[in-house]
Amino acid sequence: MSEIINGKELAKSIRLKLKEEVNELKNANIRPKLAVIMVGNDKASKVYVKNKSKACEEIGIEYEEYLLPENTKMTELLELIEKLNNDVTIHGILVQSPLPEGLDANEAFRKISPKKDVDGFHPVNVGKLSLNQDCFVSCTPYGIIKMLETYNIPIEGAYAVIIGRSNIVGKPLAKCLLNKNATVTVCHSRTKNLKNITKQADILISAIGKPKFVTKEMVKEGATVIDVGINRMNDGKLIGDVDFENIKEKVSYITPVPGGVGPMTIAMLMHNVVKASKQH
Ligand code: NDP
């Protein structure tokens, strides 16, 4: 019998707990505040930014949005980040990616003070995660670990296979799982015999961005399947990387899209903002 991991509900309970923590912080005269910078008009980014502002509002985190035009220069973006770094009322800074062509997202991430880097993309936080030291963990991997832990899915000793090696999902997730004593394989577009690898996974995570890429033949009976992919179809429907309907009976646990990893990513961002304001 398989269980569907309810990321939406879990994220809601995390937000509720954070709301209480924010109230306590406010009683101590600390008002957590997140600054979000968005450059250009990327449609998907607009939705993500809106969801982040909604979550802040619900929890009581103050929110400032900087919408910069498509033709913003790198120097202008860096100057704004510097200004926000120096603003003591701001605890978290986030640069929404992707940035328009010509702007270097990595340079922007590097400019954010590691203490305000609530996305966990700054090299200092990336390095600390590698060393298994306290840091801001990027939100999607962090949310996945929280889901596994909440559902008591054993990580230690498990064989975890990740499809996708991006800096925001695949790579940091591999480190998180390794830090929790899983045995980890990271696959990518040049991986040979992908199916032979994924079929052995106790925990299979797909983060590639290809609708229904992971088929029933690719998963082991009783495995846990985590679907990070968000693919918007022509009819406007969102679907994941995993062929959910055909796989769900074969596995022990599976996340849906929407309602799985997505809400957890935002909840963990909120967690990181609260953490930043406590450390401030
Ligand atoms: P990227 O495009 O940065 O990375 C995709 C990865 O998938 C790459 O490592 C690529 O390999 C690999 N890949 C592509 N095709 C194949 C293939 N046929 N076989 C094996 N590996 C393949 O994507 P992101 O990590 O940014 O995002 C992945 C997906 O997750 C997207 O759908 C995105 O929208 C979603 N997402 C969802 C989030 C959430 O909160 N739910 C948060 C972040 C992302 P290579 O490196 O060799 O090119």
Side-chain angles (χ1 to χ4, degrees):
M1 192 50 198
S2 63
E3 187 169 351
I4 295 170
I5 297 179
N6 193 336
K8 200 173 163 187
E9 274 306 308
L10 181 54
K12 195 171 154 190
S13 70
I14 292 172
R15 292 198 306 271
L16 269 176
K17 202 170 153 274
L18 287 172
K19 192 174 176 172
E20 286 169 20
E21 285 184 43
V22 168
N23 280 335
E24 282 168 26
L25 284 168
K26 284 183 177 166
N27 288 337
N29 264 331
I30 299 167
R31 310 183 75 79
K33 193 196 268 188
L34 172 68
V36 171
I37 303 172
M38 189 179 142
V39 191
N41 290 307
D42 184 73
K43 249 178 151 180
S45 293
K46 277 187 181 168
V47 176
Y48 298 142
V49 165
K50 191 161 171 244
N51 289 340
K52 287 166 190 175
S53 80
K54 261 169 64 184
C56 282
E57 192 184 347
E58 181 191 334
I59 294 168
I61 292 174
E62 290 182 16
Y63 178 84
E64 260 177 28
E65 200 169 272
Y66 295 84
L67 298 176
L68 306 183
E70 189 92 17
N71 61 357
T72 299
K73 294 194 178 72
M74 197 66 211
T75 47
E76 292 167 330
L77 176 58
L78 296 178
E79 272 167 31
L80 173 60
I81 297 172
E82 182 63 20
K83 192 182 117 204
L84 299 173
N85 279 340
N86 294 326
D87 184 337
V88 289
T89 69
I90 287 170
H91 305 99
I93 303 169
L94 178 160
V95 176
Q96 185 65 43
S97 64
L99 291 176
E101 224 168 285
L103 295 182
D104 182 349
N106 285 326
E107 197 180 346
F109 299 151
R110 266 200 311 276
K111 185 73 180 173
I112 297 172
S113 160
K115 290 178 182 159
K116 299 190 179 188
D117 171 38
V118 285
D119 254 343
F121 296 160
H122 190 284
V124 165
N125 285 312
V126 173
K128 283 185 171 177
L129 183 63
S130 294
L131 297 169
N132 199 8
Q133 294 174 0
D134 181 52
C135 62
F136 289 113
V137 180
S138 47
C139 306
T140 303
Y142 200 3
I144 292 170
I145 297 292
K146 269 272 171 279
M147 284 200 296
L148 295 173
E149 287 181 340
T150 309
Y151 278 78
N152 294 317
I153 297 163
I155 301 177
E156 181 160 324
Y159 181 42
V161 173
I162 304 165
I163 321 176
R165 57 171 164 180
S166 71
N167 290 338
I168 63 165
V169 187
K171 283 183 200 158
L173 179 60
K175 290 180 208 159
C176 290
L177 289 164
L178 201 54
N179 290 343
K180 299 267 175 200
N181 297 319
T183 301
V184 184
T185 296
V186 182
C187 304
H188 46 78
S189 66
R190 256 56 69 83
T191 299
K192 289 181 183 152
N193 302 322
L194 183 65
K195 190 174 91 176
N196 291 346
I197 301 169
T198 58
K199 260 173 72 176
Q200 294 175 48
D202 302 311
I203 303 172
L204 176 63
I205 301 119
S206 182
I208 60 176
K210 295 205 164 138
K212 296 192 185 177
F213 179 87
V214 178
T215 56
K216 196 172 173 180
E217 297 70 42
M218 291 170 75
V219 302
K220 183 170 84 171
E221 187 108 32
T224 292
V225 177
I226 307 287
D227 191 352
V228 182
I230 302 176
N231 306 288
R232 193 171 286 280
M233 308 313 280
N234 288 337
D235 60 4
K237 240 176 105 179
L238 286 186
I239 67 165
D241 287 350
V242 173
D243 186 0
F244 182 88
E245 283 307 321
N246 287 314
I247 286 179
K248 70 173 195 260
E249 297 306 329
K250 189 177 180 183
V251 296
S252 296
Y253 294 93
I254 187 164
T255 61
V257 175
V261 176
M264 288 300 291
T265 296
I266 295 188
M268 300 328 286
L269 172 67
M270 299 297 113
H271 168 94
N272 281 350
V273 177
V274 172
K275 177 177 169 149
S277 51
K278 280 182 187 164
Q279 287 175 348
H280 180 65

